[in-house]
Amino acid sequence: MGKAKKTRNFAVMKRMISLKDTRIKAEDREKKKRKKPDPQNMKIRELPQASSALFFQYNTQLGPPYHVIIDTNFINFSIKNKLDIIQSMMDCLYAKCIPYITDCVLGELEKLGRKYRVALRIVKDPRFQRIPCLHKGTYADDCIMQRVTQHKCYIVATCDKELKRRIRKIPGVPIMYLQQHRYSIERMPDAFGAPRT
């Protein structure tokens, strides 16, 4: 049965007329030319301008003292693991670190209530730099994303999977997170505290 089927397919293909056949009219034989797109009807695509700080995937604006934007859950996980934030960052990066807190993160911690008053007290330490927010609402993830896309000089400290996934789409922004009761960093070219692979 298999042979007959193959033969039948071959016969059908043989019966088809090729384009070079003399029985086909000359106007049908010509390939249809594509029309050139009208320059007035062309769509304008806007792409975000690549940062001048990026040399391929290497971010030239990153260097000691490191500027680290901290997310709400990073502070809470640090307290649960009994880690001093600034000291642990310095142990991870082997350099001076300046932690930054946005107004949104502070607002989120205040909304969480009395249970997170320790985190709020830690954040109000004068060693933590405050970044004022001009937008409405207190959703910290969007605020951090916007700040990181504008300025490539920050490292983002977060344990949130969704925020990590969003930040990985932006080239040249390292992510600091907690792993095995210590801080670890990913996507940093000369990272000493990077996870072992």
Side-chain angles (χ1 to χ4, degrees), residues 50-60 152 170-173 187 189:
S51 173
S52 60
L54 292 176
F55 178 72
F56 295 113
Q57 291 296 319
Y58 185 82
N59 191 350
T60 54
K152 295 275 193 284
I170 306 169
V173 180
R187 297 174 70 208

Side-chain angles (χ1 to χ4, degrees), residues 21-60:
D21 200 304
T22 53
R23 293 175 284 182
I24 296 177
K25 295 177 185 172
E27 59 267 6
D28 291 338
R29 211 179 299 171
E30 291 176 12
K31 292 182 180 175
K32 292 179 180 173
K33 295 178 182 175
R34 287 187 191 172
K35 292 180 181 177
K36 288 187 178 178
D38 187 25
Q40 287 150 350
N41 293 339
M42 287 178 70
K43 290 180 183 176
I44 298 170
R45 279 182 21 185
E46 290 188 25
L47 297 171
Q49 188 174 355
S51 173
S52 60
L54 292 176
F55 178 72
F56 295 113
Q57 291 296 319
Y58 185 82
N59 191 350
T60 54

Side-chain angles (χ1 to χ4, degrees), residues 86-103:
I86 296 173
Q87 188 59 46
S88 299
M89 280 182 188
M90 290 167 95
D91 291 344
C92 177
L93 293 168
Y94 297 127
K96 187 177 184 235
C97 300
I98 303 166
Y100 286 88
I101 297 289
T102 61
D103 288 345

Side-chain angles (χ1 to χ4, degrees), residues 101-113:
I101 297 289
T102 61
D103 288 345
C104 296
V105 171
L106 201 68
E108 277 186 4
L109 281 170
E110 286 170 353
K111 277 184 184 177
L112 289 171

